[in-house]
Amino acid sequence: MTYVGQSASAAQQGTGERATVKDVAAAYVGLTKPRVIELLLLTTVPVMFYAARGVPDLGLVVATVLGGTFSAGSASVFNCVYDRDIDEQMRRTRRRALPRHIVSARAALVFGFVLAIASTVILYVWVNPLSALLSVLANAFYVFGYTMLLKRRTTQNIVWGGIAGCFPALIGWTAVTGSLSWTPVVLFLVVFFWTPPHTWALALRYREDYANVDVPMLPVVKPAHEVGKQIVVYSWVMVATSLLLWPVADTSLFYPVAASVLGAVFLVEAHRMWRRTRGTEDLSVIQPMRLFHTSNLYLSLLFVAVAIDPLLAR
């Protein structure tokens, strides 16, 4: 079995092994970054529950999830194509499809465009034009704003580049209501302020990788203690923003209680990591992945609370 978009000999020179059909299929799936998609959908579907003040139409959920999956997947594919030079040099990414030469850049680009077109058609036809437009804007911002413009130029790359990951909250709301309001904007901002602590914790773990490829992530250009301080600041703003949903959206008491408990757990872990950075750059002491995994759990449970709240109110 030859590599997609390459000759067998070129493929063998790239990795020394032949790709099976299973390898190629897994490579295409991997290009879409499924774990990122899972997180994005987790901020879409619960918002649909809240917008519907109960259980939304199943067909609408399926169409929104499918369109959102294809849209996020296409953005990730374009990111992989553009970053294939640095992905090949980083421990965290060197096993991706393009660095391993299982899929060619041309084939990946075609795949990305197919996903982008399919997502736009699905959202436009079976959801609504506003949701389709927001999806296109999110995709474009991630590819052109973050990947091509910000990532390799500024330490604030993921602060502003992370805006693309906030759009699912808006898309989930507009899918049900056909319009925007302050409720999804608050949730948009929660994800916005969540992104730096989440990403900087991961970047701390892989800062040598980023340094080796000249990507100026904050942990590359600032000492760990300063990174920890920034994480704490963003964490406090994130938790405060999450509590704004109570008065803005007139939730039941369940949501602010859940948001307060989850926020307290997150803040404790953020402060603990900051304390561990005092006087050391040793990652085995700092343990940034503890905060990274806590951030995933926090966002997941917070949006589950968003979905549950209207069900309890009924």
Side-chain angles (χ1 to χ4, degrees):
M1 179 71 187
T2 60
Y3 289 66
V4 177
Q6 293 183 300
S7 67
S9 59
Q12 289 173 327
Q13 289 175 5
T15 63
E17 58 187 35
R18 288 181 175 272
T20 65
V21 172
K22 182 179 179 182
D23 291 332
V24 173
Y28 275 104
V29 172
L31 285 171
T32 67
K33 301 181 183 178
R35 290 184 179 179
V36 175
I37 291 176
E38 289 175 9
L39 202 59
L40 293 176
L41 294 180
L42 193 61
T43 60
T44 303
V45 177
V47 177
M48 296 181 72
F49 273 73
Y50 199 87
R53 306 300 293 182
V55 180
D57 178 77
L58 179 59
L60 182 63
V61 173
V62 171
T64 305
V65 167
L66 189 61
T69 297
F70 286 174
S71 179
S74 68
S76 293
V77 172
F78 293 138
N79 172 266
C80 286
V81 172
Y82 189 83
D83 280 348
R84 63 189 185 279
D85 59 328
I86 61 176
D87 282 350
E88 197 163 346
Q89 302 175 56
M90 296 175 65
R91 289 174 299 162
R92 188 172 66 88
T93 56
R94 65 178 53 158
R95 298 300 295 170
R96 288 177 178 172
L98 290 172
R100 293 174 62 202
H101 306 288
I102 296 178
V103 176
S104 70
R106 176 185 291 182
L109 272 178
V110 172
F111 181 51
F113 278 114
V114 169
L115 289 177
I117 293 169
S119 70
T120 304
V121 171
I122 291 170
L123 291 172
Y124 188 92
V125 174
W126 285 286
V127 183
N128 57 56
L130 179 56
S131 296
L133 174 62
L134 290 171
S135 176
V136 170
L137 289 175
N139 197 323
F141 193 89
Y142 183 75
V143 175
F144 297 106
Y146 170 67
T147 302
M148 299 179 70
L149 181 63
L150 296 170
K151 182 174 181 178
R152 306 191 193 199
R153 290 180 171 86
T154 173
T155 59
Q156 298 299 300
N157 46 20
I158 55 90
V159 175
W160 301 109
I163 289 175
C166 306
F167 272 81
L170 303 182
I171 294 170
W173 184 270
T174 59
V176 173
T177 67
S179 62
L180 287 169
S181 74
W182 284 111
T183 297
V185 171
V186 170
L187 293 170
F188 177 101
L189 291 174
V190 170
V191 181
F192 176 79
F193 292 119
W194 168 86
T195 301
H198 169 77
T199 310
W200 285 335
L202 183 66
L204 261 176
R205 169 65 178 83
Y206 292 101
R207 62 185 176 186
E208 290 184 6
D209 272 358
Y210 288 110
N212 289 338
V213 294
D214 297 322
V215 174
M217 299 295 287
L218 187 66
V220 173
V221 300
K222 295 290 184 180
H225 191 62
E226 177 62 25
V227 176
K229 177 182 177 181
Q230 291 292 320
I231 284 175
V232 166
V233 170
Y234 273 94
S235 298
W236 274 99
V237 177
M238 174 195 71
V239 173
T241 304
S242 73
L243 293 173
L244 280 178
L245 192 66
W246 181 22
V248 168
D250 192 26
T251 70
S252 72
L253 283 175
F254 169 77
Y255 173 80
V257 170
S260 297
V261 172
L262 292 170
V265 171
F266 192 99
L267 289 172
V268 166
E269 188 58 44
H271 276 274
R272 282 177 175 170
M273 196 197 79
W274 186 26
R275 285 197 298 270
R276 291 195 296 268
T277 64
R278 291 174 182 170
T280 184
E281 297 288 325
D282 187 346
L283 294 179
S284 65
V285 175
I286 298 172
Q287 302 177 56
M289 294 304 288
R290 283 187 54 175
L291 181 63
F292 175 78
H293 293 306
T294 299
S295 70
N296 285 332
L297 186 61
Y298 167 83
L299 195 70
S300 301
L301 294 180
L302 184 74
F303 275 80
V304 167
V306 170
I308 292 175
D309 188 84
L311 301 178
L312 295 179
R314 292 179 66 185

